[in-house]
Amino acid sequence: DLQLGVDDASALEIGVRDLPPELTDLSVSDVVEGWTATLTGRVVDEFRSGDVSLIIDWGDGSPVQTQALLPGAELFSIDHRYLDDAPAGTSSDMSLIQVTVVDARNGQDQGTAIVTITNAAPQLAANFVEVNPDGSVDLYGLNSDPGLLDDHRVVIDWGDGSADTALSLLPGLDWFSSTHAYAATGDYEIVIAVSDDDGGSSLSTVDVSVTDIAVQVTQAASSGTLLVNAWLAPAPKLATSQPALFQYQHGSVPATPL
């Protein structure tokens, strides 16, 4: 048997290898754009030689995140907000998350997880119209989309058979407005469609009643006579508005009905 004295024991050197930390059980929850995904996992560090940190690349172009772990902690849970399901043109996209764990002696381990980010369709949170004295209509709308980096397109059908109005909204632009002049009085249903750059869309409608319209003025070819085509508002003895054509000689007041 080997026997050591006190003096011999002091000369004995025992080497202990400092094992690097181990990263295990990585998992991430899928998410809708604009909301937060949660990354969970476990770090095994047998000797806890010092501080341990996580270095996380979320795979969406955001800055790399460094997260220190509390002393003695093994389990971790970290949230991250995905602003968009990039690239555009798809209803959902996958992003590769790369995680590195580093201890105080620069021991390292790495792992990956894949998160699916789903597009959210835009919604018209509010819309209203204002009828002006000349009968034209101002339309205002508020677009709401959790995808803060989405481009949007708004198409307005004024309900009178005229050409649609198309508006483009860059990321961060939520409010929009447009003005339309109706050619005749009446009740109209305005249909507003909004879509994002990933194919999400929604519709909204608003009703408007037009009781007066703008006067339209055209100039005759050579006589200097102005022909005014106007709609008259209902008089007390008239049930409905009636069209009337007036002839107006420059400098004369009032105009003479034809």
Side-chain angles (χ1 to χ4, degrees):
D1 295 338
L2 177 63
Q3 296 181 351
L4 297 176
V6 174
D7 293 338
D8 296 326
S10 62
L12 182 63
E13 293 183 358
I14 302 176
V16 178
R17 184 167 61 93
D18 183 14
L19 296 176
E22 181 183 1
L23 183 62
T24 65
D25 302 332
L26 273 182
S27 178
V28 63
S29 59
D30 292 335
V31 67
V32 175
E33 64 177 2
W35 296 89
T36 57
T38 301
L39 176 71
T40 59
R42 182 169 178 257
V43 173
V44 179
D45 189 3
E46 295 292 345
F47 295 96
R48 276 291 179 177
S49 56
D51 295 334
V52 175
S53 297
L54 297 173
I55 302 173
I56 308 171
D57 183 345
W58 294 100
D60 59 352
S62 61
V64 172
Q65 179 179 353
T66 299
Q67 179 71 46
L69 298 183
L70 295 175
E74 287 191 354
L75 300 178
F76 63 85
S77 177
I78 302 172
D79 293 335
H80 178 72
R81 187 182 186 189
Y82 283 91
L83 301 181
D84 189 21
D85 63 319
T90 58
S91 59
S92 65
D93 294 283
M94 292 185 294
S95 187
L96 177 66
I97 303 172
Q98 302 180 70
V99 184
T100 301
V101 58
V102 183
D103 66 14
R105 294 179 180 270
N106 205 35
Q108 299 184 14
D109 192 20
Q110 295 180 330
T112 60
I114 295 178
V115 58
T116 298
I117 307 107
T118 302
N119 181 59
Q123 302 290 328
L124 287 165
N127 56 75
F128 62 94
V129 293
E130 183 177 34
V131 181
N132 300 311
D134 64 358
S136 63
V137 171
D138 295 329
L139 171 67
Y140 302 90
L142 173 62
N143 174 50
S144 175
D145 192 337
L148 301 182
L149 302 182
D150 283 347
D151 293 326
H152 294 92
R153 177 179 171 84
V154 176
V155 177
I156 306 169
D157 180 348
W158 298 100
D160 60 352
S162 61
D164 293 345
T165 298
L167 307 172
S168 295
L169 303 180
L170 296 176
L173 295 178
D174 298 326
W175 282 100
F176 62 89
S177 64
S178 186
T179 300
H180 181 70
Y182 285 94
T185 59
D187 296 327
Y188 299 94
E189 181 183 62
I190 303 173
V191 180
I192 311 154
V194 59
S195 58
D196 63 21
D197 56 11
D198 291 309
S201 63
S202 64
L203 292 174
S204 181
T205 61
V206 59
D207 296 325
V208 61
S209 181
V210 179
T211 58
D212 256 334
I213 65 171
V215 174
Q216 302 173 354
V217 179
T218 58
Q219 185 170 1
S222 59
S223 65
T225 299
L226 293 179
L227 298 180
V228 182
N229 187 10
W231 281 87
L232 299 179
K237 296 183 179 181
L238 299 177
T240 59
S241 300
Q242 295 185 11
L245 185 62
F246 291 83
Q247 177 174 286
Y248 172 76
Q249 297 288 346
H250 180 66
S252 67
V253 178
T256 304
L258 298 180

